[in-house]
Amino acid sequence: MIPLARLFCGVAAALAAVSFVSLASAAEPAAPAPKVIEIWPEGIPDKKADIPPERVDNGRAYSVNTPTLTFFPVNLPKRNSAAVIICPGGGYDHLSLENEGNAVAKWANSIGVTAFVLRYRLVEYGHPAPLRDVLRAIRLVRANAKDYGVNPEQIGVLGASAGGHLAACAATLYDAPEGKTGAELDKVSARPDFAVLLYAVVSMKEPYVHQGSRKSLLGANPSPELLDHLSPELQVTKDCPPVFIVHTEEDRAVSDFNSIQFYEALHKARVPVEMHLYEKGPHGFGLRKDLGQTSEWPKRCEEWMRSHGWLPAFDG
């Protein structure tokens, strides 16, 4: 038989543990579930009816016909955070939604940044549809910043691979005529406040162009003028936002000279830029943890954001 005193103590301890868990749960509510937002509620520009249905296969999205933002809010008591619009890669043929979209959004949330994963139009549309989609996404988030709990002056873009090309275009062509449709929202600035590029496709010109991305975006025979226009390293001005660049020398899919050229153009224009060119890491490494120094890029990016005031400074 268990002594009464011992039984009483055990019950009291169990109740205390339950109370502690309840209090902890109340103090740290679960993060809200992601919400999908259509970015063209008034009607998608030049929408096509003759393309295959959208589908998601093994974390990749194909045949995007309805551009959306998947909203990942931060779980903070007072929300007025920086925000980032994430452009997954995939050669303008598909979108790597999981590895370069949702996973990156969760990392952004972990450092206090509200995230939006952009599902933009692809090869079935070509230019200017992806550019219109990313610029509309920036305008939409900025116009509704209060509702989303974000600071309208701290809205950036983050892109990987071909999504990096789209992010670089947003940072350089934010006021381009083809990025507007005549909608009332065009009056809202589409200039991102910062850009983060991961092993990005940048140039549409030889010798460093990623051929698959260029063909999917611009077709088989783009004009020289269009190649220049969609090569962000040729479109840099002093008014471009600060940029953080990550690439590796080991990348065999997209030459690191894409990033090097963009860095040089930004530096020449006196645009704040920080680049981390690592030795190790294949194309598409994303948030892999097994690449030594290369796997530290998220920490370096967080420090860069803090240095610009988009995240609270470290105490002390």
Side-chain angles (χ1 to χ4, degrees):
M1 179 179 292
I2 301 174
L4 185 60
R6 186 183 301 172
L7 180 61
F8 175 79
C9 290
V11 170
L15 289 172
V18 170
S19 298
F20 176 79
V21 170
S22 299
L23 287 171
S25 299
E28 299 180 7
K35 175 185 177 183
V36 177
I37 304 162
E38 288 195 21
I39 67 173
W40 299 104
E42 77 277 21
I44 298 165
D46 304 317
K47 184 169 183 176
K48 296 183 178 181
D50 58 347
I51 70 172
E54 290 186 34
R55 75 182 196 279
V56 177
D57 182 14
N58 196 28
R60 295 179 171 186
Y62 297 84
S63 301
V64 173
N65 201 28
T66 303
T68 61
L69 286 170
T70 303
F71 174 33
F72 290 78
V74 289
N75 186 24
L76 297 173
K78 294 181 70 175
R79 291 171 51 219
N80 187 35
S81 71
V84 64
I85 293 166
I86 298 167
C87 305
Y92 286 110
D93 170 76
H94 64 273
L95 299 178
S96 182
L97 285 181
E98 287 302 323
N99 293 338
E100 294 171 351
N102 298 343
V104 177
K106 292 172 184 176
W107 162 74
N109 281 176
S110 75
I111 62 171
V113 177
T114 297
F116 299 82
V117 176
L118 177 62
R119 190 182 293 216
Y120 56 91
R121 286 172 288 175
L122 300 164
V123 60
E124 294 81 8
Y125 281 85
H127 179 72
L131 180 64
R132 285 181 170 179
D133 290 344
V134 70
L135 298 184
R136 164 51 73 104
I138 295 168
R139 291 184 172 108
L140 185 69
V141 172
R142 183 163 281 135
N144 296 279
K146 185 175 181 181
D147 293 337
Y148 297 142
V150 305
N151 187 328
E153 297 180 354
Q154 296 183 357
I155 298 171
V157 288
L158 183 156
S161 192
H165 177 262
L166 187 57
C169 285
T172 53
L173 300 177
Y174 50 83
D175 204 30
E178 72 269 31
K180 301 176 181 179
T181 65
E184 185 69 18
L185 208 57
D186 286 347
K187 296 176 182 177
V188 177
S189 172
R191 179 186 179 276
D193 295 300
F194 60 88
V196 177
L197 308 183
L198 306 181
Y199 40 86
V201 174
V202 178
S203 186
M204 289 286 109
K205 305 186 69 172
E206 303 291 351
Y208 304 121
V209 61
H210 181 254
Q211 298 286 349
S213 295
R214 182 171 72 183
K215 185 176 181 180
S216 293
L217 181 65
L218 303 179
N221 297 296
S223 69
E225 293 77 16
L226 191 58
L227 293 180
D228 285 351
H229 185 60
L230 271 296
S231 293
E233 78 278 13
L234 302 179
Q235 304 303 323
V236 170
T237 71
K238 64 179 179 59
D239 297 319
C240 291
V243 181
F244 182 90
I245 301 171
V246 177
H247 217 126
T248 67
E249 293 183 333
E250 201 172 68
D251 194 327
R252 296 294 177 264
V254 175
S255 169
D256 55 338
F257 279 97
N258 279 266
S259 291
I260 292 169
Q261 285 186 322
F262 196 45
Y263 171 87
E264 289 178 342
L266 291 162
H267 181 66
K268 184 176 180 180
R270 296 294 186 263
V271 175
V273 57
E274 180 170 323
M275 185 168 86
H276 293 262
L277 180 58
Y278 296 103
E279 179 185 1
K280 300 294 185 182
H283 188 73
F285 56 81
L287 294 171
R288 277 180 54 175
K289 303 292 187 185
D290 60 343
L291 295 172
Q293 285 183 307
T294 309
S295 296
E296 294 296 312
W297 78 259
K299 187 64 177 176
R300 304 289 81 79
C301 185
E302 177 184 352
E303 293 166 350
W304 176 75
M305 292 187 71
R306 290 189 193 281
S307 74
H308 281 275
W310 301 314
L311 293 173
F314 287 117
D315 292 336

